[in-house]
Amino acid sequence: MVDYKTIITETLKTEVLVVGGGSAGCNAAAAAALEGKKTMLVERYGFLGGTSTYILDTFYGFYIPGKEGRKVVGGIPDKVLDKLFARKAAILRPNTYGAGTGVTYDPEILKVVWEELLTESNVDILFHSFVVDVVTEGPKVTGVILVNKSGFFLVEADIIIDASGDADVVAKAGFPFDGIGGKEAVQSLTTTFRVMHVDNEAAISFTKQQMWDWMKEANATGNYYLPREEGSVHITTIPGVMATNMVRLAIPDPTNIADLSKAEIEGRKQALEYFRFMKDYLPGYDKAELMNFSTQIGVRETRRVIGEYTLTKEDVLGARKFDDAVLECGAPIEDHHNAAGTKWEYLEEGAVYQLPYRTLIPKDSTNLLVAGRCLSATHDAHASMRSIGQCMAMGQAAGTAAALAIQEGVEPKKLDINLLQAKLIENGAMINTHSSFVNYHE
Ligand SMILES: Cc1cc2nc3c(=O)[nH]c(=O)nc-3n(C[C@H](O)[C@H](O)[C@H](O)COP(=O)(O)OP(=O)(O)OC[C@H]3O[C@@H](n4cnc5c(N)ncnc54)[C@H](O)[C@@H]3O)c2cc1C
């Protein structure tokens, strides 16, 4: 730890501090504030949403795949859906890969919706602030150091929720993690892009397999550079605008900034090639223009903390239930590894597994929680649990747990699980949907 004492320009204090304003962080902050705790969220960009707004436009994980397709996420995440549907900024979309019904939204409107959620909950938001270090007293993380245009800030907090996606706080505090540097390669990265002035009707007139065949054909001419001969393009909430997930590249450690910088450049280069291919080969795209690249390259997986429990592939595919469950998931294992193809492994029809609260508690920590894609899970289990719906539900669980732990005067790992589960259910979270099938907007 660097001695920042001499350069700290401001010290702030809060009860709950959430690092990272992605789907998990926003829900965590809203949940903690809902329970009356003074809550601050710090985010390195000037808007909220993380991957949900700077890369994507579809929530998966709210609905399980299969014939029944029931809804398994509720509570604060429903407020986000309600706000999007009220603005006519979302549509339900059946997923052709079989990941379940997706909620496709306008990512620009979602930025405002996240802000409304947090401001209505009285969360203090600090944008343009990058957490670079932590202050510790033994196993306790008493605060974080962040840097922004105003200087170096110390933010002290009773409980810190690491929702940075990369487990930056956990790593800086010296708690163990897996993922980067582990035995399995982390998932590949994708620069997404959207195109406009598309003839929608023509653009949905061909199958994904046909598009993949055309990709092969284009590559075979030697005139195109399409490293991945698969991927997808889908309708959005805006007529004439289509969104893609085609680019693929791999680096061993997406937190290594030299490698990530090269990946950003390669990602946009690939994106332009896929766009050229689309205009040349796909019906409906002859007048299309590039609308935007994702704000940054999409990172699926980096550090996964080692928690009080680590979710496994067997837990996922075996539809395992836990006494300390805080949410459910029916999403398949979806591993975008670097070789050809994407690995899909499904639970049995209609099945879900539960996520134990312990996966959100870094092992041996006393005042830390995590939420979102840096949870404690093996590579395979993570590939199922990382959908935005589940990241939101993890956020709600972690934020509620932080508030209750402060209220009860206990460490997060000593919190009475019955108290946490009762509060989550009271606030609409869905922990056991077997007996209560509820569907949204039916
Ligand atoms: C290419 C791609 C396609 C995907 N497709 C889908 C899909 O279609 N549907 C779906 O449901 N899921 C999809 N996923 C998975 C899903 O989007 C992510 O797992 C999920 O959004 C992660 O949410 P999060 O809140 O945990 O992390 P993130 O969204 O990564 O948020 C982390 C936040 O923390 C901030 N931050 C990071 N470090 C710091 C720091 N040190 N200080 C301050 N702020 C910091 C970041 O700016 C960011 O806002 C996809 C992922 C990728 C990459």
Side-chain angles (χ1 to χ4, degrees), residues 52-129:
S52 75
T53 51
Y54 59 63
I55 314 282
L56 297 179
D57 73 349
T58 302
F59 300 143
Y60 286 118
F62 273 86
Y63 295 88
I64 63 170
K67 281 190 234 97
E68 183 196 319
R70 74 180 183 274
K71 187 164 175 286
V72 294
V73 172
I76 294 173
D78 275 347
K79 292 190 188 178
V80 178
L81 295 192
D82 288 342
K83 284 174 180 291
L84 286 167
F85 279 104
R87 288 174 185 265
K88 301 200 183 329
I91 50 173
L92 291 181
R93 200 162 57 81
N95 178 246
T96 45
Y97 280 117
T101 296
V103 182
T104 292
Y105 50 84
D106 182 333
E108 299 308 318
I109 301 297
L110 180 59
K111 287 176 183 167
V112 177
V113 164
W114 287 127
E115 284 166 357
E116 279 178 8
L117 181 76
L118 296 208
T119 50
E120 285 165 8
S121 317
N122 288 325
V123 174
D124 293 321
I125 303 171
L126 209 56
F127 279 140
H128 299 296
S129 298

